[in-house]
Amino acid sequence: MGGTLLYEGKTKIVELSEDGQSVILTFKDDITAGDGAKHDVLALKGQYCSEITARLMHYLNTKGIYTMFLNYIPPNKIRARKLKMIPLEVIVRFKKAGSFVRRYGGTEGEDLPVPLVEFTYKSDVMHDPLMCIEHLEVLGILSMQHATIIIDEAKKAATLLKELFTLHGFELWDIKFEYGFDESGNICLGDEISPDTMRLRKAGEMFDKDIYRRNLGNPIEKYEVVLNLCRSILL
């Protein structure tokens, strides 16, 4: 299905498709935490995360959000637009949790007054340092104009997903996005949207990678719940 290997990361393989006009993302069963210090292989994880990504990105596409998603190739592949990825994680927070609480205090699950967007530089060696917009421009990572576009797009996408999950009894606490430039220079949402990249809660239960980060067991059963929800409410 795929062709030339373009990139292999901790959880995905990216290959140029046979037509040369798109890429094939293969989602691996690997799961990591602590900048790769913790690593395991969990059966079905790649399948679950790829299908969840496919369904949520397709949903965002229908709502006017420009994503990489073209089509889902069962069981664990996505055909996607070719992107030049920006080396940033873009985190949209609705509640205080994780590194935010460690940096600034507060209580896990405490509401933020408005959605907050944070940029971190993608580097395991440097432990994904937090960056402000001025850093992005001065270091040549992203222009002020493009950073502003990403902030707006990330808030829109995160709010759409938050509203979708809320309708079905789940709370989206925060979510991590990654963006790239397509071949025309347009900013496009890439990477994945799955329990690996969000904090999703329901009635005090975790349905995300925090289960793994906190050594609370195998999270795959909870990932399956999220997948079944997406299957039931989304094409």
Side-chain angles (χ1 to χ4, degrees):
M1 179 66 67
T4 304
L5 176 67
L6 299 177
Y7 172 79
E8 181 169 359
K10 291 178 287 189
T11 61
K12 285 182 288 298
I13 296 168
V14 183
E15 298 169 284
L16 189 65
S17 65
E18 293 173 353
D19 63 14
Q21 302 302 308
S22 58
V23 295
I24 304 297
L25 276 68
T26 300
F27 286 65
K28 298 156 64 172
D29 286 339
D30 298 65
I31 187 168
T32 68
D35 298 321
K38 185 179 182 184
H39 174 227
D40 287 283
V41 176
L42 305 179
L44 298 175
K45 177 181 173 290
Q47 178 178 332
Y48 289 179
C49 287
S50 62
E51 187 175 345
I52 292 168
T53 296
R55 291 177 182 273
L56 291 177
M57 284 198 175
H58 174 71
Y59 172 74
L60 290 177
N61 284 344
T62 67
K63 298 295 184 179
I65 302 295
Y66 183 46
T67 83
M68 70 172 189
F69 177 73
L70 296 174
N71 62 280
Y72 173 53
I73 306 168
N76 67 329
K77 298 178 188 291
I78 285 176
R79 186 184 303 276
R81 305 176 201 279
K82 287 193 293 184
L83 300 178
K84 181 181 179 182
M85 296 304 293
I86 302 163
L88 295 172
E89 294 183 347
V90 182
I91 304 159
V92 184
R93 299 185 183 275
F94 298 104
K95 292 178 178 287
K96 298 178 182 180
S99 60
F100 185 94
V101 172
R102 291 193 296 273
R103 286 195 303 266
Y104 307 116
T107 305
E108 287 273 333
E110 183 181 349
D111 285 334
L112 289 165
V114 295
L116 174 68
V117 178
E118 294 179 336
F119 291 100
T120 66
Y121 184 65
K122 279 179 64 69
S123 169
D124 287 345
V125 173
M126 290 187 280
H127 305 293
D128 299 337
L130 195 65
M131 306 189 86
C132 66
I133 290 181
E134 285 80 3
H135 284 134
L136 304 182
E137 189 163 53
V138 167
L139 296 175
I141 297 170
L142 206 59
S143 70
M144 190 76 72
Q145 178 185 6
H146 285 139
T148 301
I149 291 170
I150 286 176
I151 289 170
D152 290 342
E153 288 297 303
K155 285 182 180 180
K156 288 176 188 175
T159 299
L160 284 165
L161 294 173
K162 180 179 185 292
E163 291 170 350
L164 178 69
F165 284 121
T166 297
L167 286 173
H168 299 277
F170 288 82
E171 290 186 331
L172 182 63
W173 285 18
D174 55 46
I175 187 164
K176 174 184 73 69
F177 294 129
E178 294 187 25
Y179 288 86
F181 292 101
D182 70 8
E183 292 185 312
S184 299
N186 300 306
I187 290 172
C188 181
L189 176 59
D191 193 47
E192 71 176 286
I193 304 174
S194 77
D196 267 16
T197 62
M198 64 177 79
R199 283 189 174 89
L200 190 64
R201 306 296 159 90
K202 183 177 184 180
E205 287 189 70
M206 300 176 186
F207 291 83
D208 54 64
K209 197 166 78 168
D210 268 358
I211 297 167
Y212 178 74
R213 291 188 186 98
R214 300 182 184 189
N215 299 309
L216 300 176
N218 187 333
I220 291 301
E221 286 187 6
K222 297 299 180 65
Y223 282 37
E224 185 176 15
V225 171
V226 179
L227 172 58
N228 288 334
L229 172 66
C230 290
R231 284 174 172 172
S232 70
I233 62 176
L234 301 172
L235 293 176

